């Protein structure tokens, strides 16, 4: 199995881009851009700054699309259309750097809870549209499993893979930390070989803390070998800072040795 080790930090979206030069120094091979804050890809100055920074490194690139205040399952049509627009725009821009863009599923609004089948269909229709744009640009839009907030779609592997199956341009990001918040880490392990992309970080099962690996209660003695022997692709360590990212990297290297 060939695994590329990458780093991402959502806590850095308002920081000056100079922080990314520490990613390679820490030993990572790639950077997953969180396309928010100073890294939104609908701002030309941001794109220019990111492009120049990437060109001065040897980092491979993946992108996490924006998700704040967006909802691909909403029944509010203008918000639904804007959510699709922002994600498609991100994919189009990101395609200059990568073939993997992670996206979040939608969630049940108060109205959506009264019509869950329609919310599900809104999500499916949005994914088809996003997937077509992604395919046209040589990208997989990878839908990510979600945390334990009950309103979110795609918290379990059956729903995640059922939502995405057979759609051109659409893949899956398995996030082990998210899976732990819903108590389904073991349920996701058989699906690892089918993942298009992966995120790893730790927590205690209550909150999406993005702790360093080994600092929460995830059983990495089981998860690590499942990844090492079942997954091929980019493995993103999501961390609060590079110091914790480096600590996680040392653990991951032991799995892959």
């Amino acid at each position: 199995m060939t695994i590329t080790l990458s780093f991402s930090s959502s806590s850095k979206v308002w920081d000056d881009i100079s922080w990314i030069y520490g990613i390679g120094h820490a030993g990572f091979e790639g950077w997953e851009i969180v396309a928010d804050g100073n890294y939104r890809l609908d701002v030309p100055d941001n794109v220019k700054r990111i492009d120049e920074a990437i060109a001065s490194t040897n980092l491979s690139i993946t992108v996490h699309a924006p998700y704040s205040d967006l909802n691909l399952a909403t029944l509010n049509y203008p918000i639904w259309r804007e959510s699709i627009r922002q994600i498609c725009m991100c994919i189009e821009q990101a395609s200059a750097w990568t073939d993997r863009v992670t996206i979040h599923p939608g969630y049940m609004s108060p109205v959506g809870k009264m019509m869950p089948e329609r919310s599900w269909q809104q999500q499916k229709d949005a994914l088809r549209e996003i997937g077509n744009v992604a395919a046209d640009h040589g990208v997989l839009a990878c839908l990510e499993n979600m945390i334990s907030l009950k309103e979110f779609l795609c918290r379990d592997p059956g729903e995640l893979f059922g939502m995405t199956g057979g759609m051109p341009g659409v893949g899956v990001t398995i996030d082990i930390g998210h899976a732990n918040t819903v108590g389904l880490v073991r349920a996701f392990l058989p699906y690892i070989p089918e993942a298009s992309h992966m995120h790893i970080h730790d927590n205690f099962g209550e909150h999406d803390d993005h702790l360093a690996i080994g600092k929460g209660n995830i059983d990495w003695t089981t998860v690590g070998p499942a990844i090492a022997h079942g997954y091929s692709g980019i493995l993103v360590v999501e961390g609060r800072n590079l110091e914790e990212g480096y600590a996680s990297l040392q653990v991951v290297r032991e799995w892959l040795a």
Side-chain angles (χ1 to χ4, degrees):
M1 296 291 177
T2 301
I3 292 177
T4 299
L5 298 172
S6 189
F7 181 74
S8 181
S9 183
S10 57
S11 66
K12 296 287 190 180
V13 297
W14 293 109
D15 286 12
D16 180 83
I17 201 166
S18 59
W19 78 271
I20 75 159
Y21 298 111
I23 295 174
H25 294 153
F28 290 99
E29 303 161 88
W31 171 35
E32 180 149 293
I33 301 166
V34 180
D36 212 332
N38 290 334
Y39 302 87
R40 284 191 64 91
L41 303 185
D42 53 0
V43 179
D45 285 348
N46 290 352
V47 173
K48 182 174 184 292
R49 190 183 313 113
I50 293 167
D51 198 43
E52 291 172 350
I54 291 171
S56 67
T57 75
N58 293 316
L59 297 173
S60 63
I61 300 298
T62 54
V63 171
H64 196 306
Y67 53 87
S68 297
D69 302 316
L70 305 182
N71 186 1
L72 297 177
T74 183
L75 303 185
N76 185 322
Y77 185 76
I79 292 176
W80 185 72
R81 286 256 41 106
E82 176 62 14
S83 299
I84 295 170
R85 187 196 70 80
Q86 287 197 29
I87 291 171
C88 288
M89 177 282 307
C90 178
I91 289 169
E92 291 171 6
Q93 182 59 56
S95 68
W97 305 318
T98 186
D99 63 358
R100 292 290 187 277
V101 176
T102 291
I103 64 175
H104 278 191
Y107 53 90
M108 297 284 188
S109 66
V111 174
K113 288 178 182 179
M114 293 186 284
M115 293 178 261
E117 295 84 4
R118 285 192 60 189
S119 292
W120 176 274
Q121 191 60 50
Q122 288 289 88
Q123 173 74 69
K124 294 277 280 191
D125 290 347
L127 277 182
R128 288 192 186 93
E129 188 170 335
I130 291 165
N132 287 337
V133 170
D136 287 346
H137 288 80
V139 171
L140 270 183
C142 299
L143 193 68
E144 184 175 23
N145 59 294
M146 281 289 96
I147 59 174
S148 59
L149 295 175
K150 66 181 185 299
E151 287 80 10
F152 270 119
L153 302 181
C154 300
R155 291 173 296 153
D156 67 77
E159 190 165 301
L160 180 66
F161 282 88
M163 179 72 76
T164 58
M167 284 193 183
V170 177
V172 164
T173 294
I174 290 180
D175 187 306
I176 296 297
H178 289 179
N180 196 49
T181 68
V182 290
L184 292 176
V185 169
R186 287 186 176 274
F188 272 95
L189 297 187
Y191 291 86
I192 284 176
E194 300 178 49
S196 313
H197 194 54
M198 284 197 72
H199 291 166
I200 55 172
H201 47 97
D202 215 335
N203 58 62
F204 287 96
E206 297 292 328
H207 305 288
D208 189 27
D209 298 312
H210 284 214
L211 302 178
I213 292 170
K215 298 300 182 181
N217 65 7
I218 294 175
D219 179 12
W220 296 104
T221 62
T222 300
V223 176
I227 293 172
H229 300 299
Y231 177 66
S232 184
I234 296 172
L235 181 63
V236 181
V237 171
E238 293 188 309
R240 299 179 297 183
N241 54 60
L242 273 168
E243 291 74 22
E244 292 184 357
Y246 177 79
S248 294
L249 182 61
Q250 306 319 301
V251 178
V252 176
R253 282 176 168 165
E254 292 180 5
W255 309 340
L256 304 180

